[in-house]
């Protein structure tokens, strides 16, 4: 995978996490919708962190 693709995926997932966080903050009280959004947010954060780690591993290390 290219670094560009990894960066695009990381950006997309970061935006998804931000949107889910905003949506959750707007909900009031416990509800089935809140539980579903929390599960989706957990999964999106997990994916985002995975892509971030893959991107960091693909970057070239400085030759010092």
């Amino acid at each position: 995978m290219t670094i560009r693709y990894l960066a695009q995926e990381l950006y997309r997932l970061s935006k998804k996490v931000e949107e889910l966080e905003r949506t959750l903050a707007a909900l009031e009280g416990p509800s089935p919708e809140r539980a579903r959004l929390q599960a989706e947010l957990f999964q999106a954060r997990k994916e985002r962190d995975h892509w971030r780690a893959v991107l960091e591993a693909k970057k070239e290390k400085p030759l010092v």
Side-chain angles (χ1 to χ4, degrees):
M1 284 183 256
T2 66
I3 291 179
R4 182 178 179 163
Y5 173 76
L6 294 172
Q8 287 173 337
E9 282 299 303
L10 180 58
Y11 180 79
R12 183 185 64 79
L13 286 167
S14 296
K15 290 299 177 185
K16 183 177 180 179
V17 167
E18 290 172 9
E19 181 62 32
L20 288 169
E21 288 172 342
R22 277 194 298 272
T23 305
L24 263 174
L27 285 179
E28 296 178 9
S31 69
E33 180 70 12
R34 178 177 283 281
R36 185 190 65 77
L37 285 172
Q38 285 175 331
E40 191 175 341
L41 177 60
F42 175 78
Q43 186 64 32
R45 283 180 177 161
K46 190 175 171 182
E47 286 182 57
R48 180 197 62 190
D49 294 343
H50 168 74
W51 285 105
R52 183 176 290 145
V54 171
L55 180 61
E56 286 298 320
K58 287 280 189 177
K59 289 182 181 176
E60 292 182 18
K61 307 293 187 247
L63 301 173
V64 177

